[in-house]
């Protein structure tokens, strides 16, 4: 059974709308991450978390918020979605920040029209 | 400024050949270098990783060569197989901080 799951898997949103991407992990990992993947840019870190209640800004946090209400759940929130946020979003979990294997979810394909 | 750079952007090899993927980095304090691979329509997954205490790490047909002085590393895939066709990402981190990924090298292995 998949240890990192994401929902929804596909999402079409309108410009200016609010979008929430959800991630759940059963690895009991302290650390969780949100990345976006775009052609030519690889994986870019948006937000990450050390544990429940903590969120940290990654390399490209503008236009995104994050929420970690529990060890298992980590959400990415787009308050006012823009077409430039059309991308594939991956959630990942890991034991120790940066030095342990990160396990990725299946991804969410977001299209903002 | 891209802190982790990869080249080439894409690479095609024949089955049985050795594919060589290159990676360079800016920050000399980086102390952990994993390579992830990603198959089409799938998620990235850890392939192999190295720390600067070693200059070589081998796992089957996959070998990382690390040059700390030049801040370069390379991934060699020997006896390439069609199933190795994927995008390969070099990444780096420092002091337990979050990983920084390169832009990836797409490898195609022709039978």
């Amino acid at each position: 059974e998949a240890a990192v799951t994401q929902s929804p898997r596909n999402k079409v949103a309108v410009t200016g709308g609010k979008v929430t991407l959800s991630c759940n992990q059963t690895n009991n990992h302290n650390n969780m991450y949100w990345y976006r993947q775009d052609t030519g840019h690889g994986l870019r870190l948006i937000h990450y978390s050390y544990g429940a209640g903590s969120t940290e800004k990654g390399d490209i946090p503008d236009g995104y918020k994050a929420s970690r209400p529990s060890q298992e759940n980590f959400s990415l929130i787009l308050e006012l979605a823009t077409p430039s946020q059309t991308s594939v979003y991956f959630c990942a979990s890991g034991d120790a920040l940066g030095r342990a294997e990160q396990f990725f979810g299946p991804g969410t394909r977001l299209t903002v029209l | 400024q891209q802190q982790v750079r990869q080249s080439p952007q894409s690479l095609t090899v024949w089955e049985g050949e050795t594919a060589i993927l290159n990676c360079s980095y800016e920050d000399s304090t980086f102390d952990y270098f994993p390579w992830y691979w990603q198959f089409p329509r799938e998620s990235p997954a850890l392939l192999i990783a190295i720390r600067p205490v070693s200059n070589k790490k081998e796992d089957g047909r996959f070998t990382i060569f690390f040059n700390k002085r030049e801040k370069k590393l390379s991934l060699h895939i020997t006896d390439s197989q069609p199933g190795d066709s994927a995008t390969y990402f070099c990444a780096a981190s420092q002091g337990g901080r979050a990983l920084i990924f390169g832009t990836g090298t797409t490898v195609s292995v022709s039978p």
Side-chain angles (χ1 to χ4, degrees):
Chain A
E1 188 171 344
V4 182
T5 57
Q6 295 181 229
S7 63
R9 294 293 311 278
N10 292 280
K11 174 74 176 179
V12 178
V14 296
T15 297
K18 182 178 181 179
V19 177
T20 300
L21 306 182
S22 300
C23 178
N24 177 274
Q25 56 105 354
T26 58
N27 296 320
N28 198 31
H29 288 156
N30 287 333
N31 305 319
M32 297 185 73
Y33 313 85
W34 275 107
Y35 297 90
R36 63 177 286 176
Q37 184 173 32
D38 305 284
T39 303
H41 290 280
L43 292 155
R44 293 183 289 175
L45 182 66
I46 306 170
H47 285 287
Y48 58 100
S49 168
Y50 297 119
S54 103
T55 60
E56 305 289 335
K57 294 181 179 179
D59 298 321
I60 52 165
D62 294 346
Y64 303 94
K65 292 183 180 179
S67 173
R68 182 86 182 271
S70 65
Q71 177 84 339
E72 297 80 18
N73 295 294
F74 190 36
S75 297
L76 186 68
I77 303 147
L78 291 67
E79 295 278 3
L80 295 170
T82 68
S84 65
Q85 294 175 312
T86 292
S87 186
V88 179
Y89 292 85
F90 286 102
C91 175
S93 73
D95 262 333
L97 192 63
R99 284 193 176 181
E101 180 176 358
Q102 291 188 17
F103 296 86
F104 285 79
T108 294
R109 183 172 297 275
L110 174 66
T111 302
V112 182
L113 301 175
Chain B
Q1 184 179 6
Q2 189 71 25
Q3 294 193 57
V4 176
R5 293 190 177 90
Q6 291 187 246
S7 65
Q9 185 174 349
S10 62
L11 176 64
T12 299
V13 297
W14 293 105
E15 184 174 356
E17 291 186 332
T18 296
I20 299 176
L21 290 65
N22 300 303
C23 180
S24 63
Y25 58 96
E26 298 288 328
D27 191 338
S28 59
T29 64
F30 284 147
D31 59 6
Y32 175 64
F33 301 90
W35 285 82
Y36 281 75
W37 57 349
Q38 183 179 26
F39 297 98
R41 294 172 297 282
E42 294 190 11
S43 310
L46 180 66
L47 173 62
I48 187 173
I50 194 168
R51 292 185 170 83
V53 293
S54 303
N55 57 19
K56 180 180 177 181
K57 178 72 175 291
E58 194 170 353
D59 185 355
R61 296 183 294 104
F62 300 90
T63 303
I64 299 174
F65 293 93
F66 182 74
N67 186 321
K68 186 176 182 178
R69 183 179 61 84
E70 295 187 7
K71 293 190 285 187
K72 292 181 178 179
L73 56 161
S74 61
L75 176 68
H76 292 224
I77 308 172
T78 57
D79 187 25
S80 296
Q81 302 297 309
D84 298 333
S85 298
T87 298
Y88 293 77
F89 292 100
C90 174
S93 71
Q94 175 266 326
R97 295 182 180 177
L99 289 170
I100 297 172
F101 285 86
T103 55
T105 294
T106 299
V107 175
S108 298
V109 182
S110 298

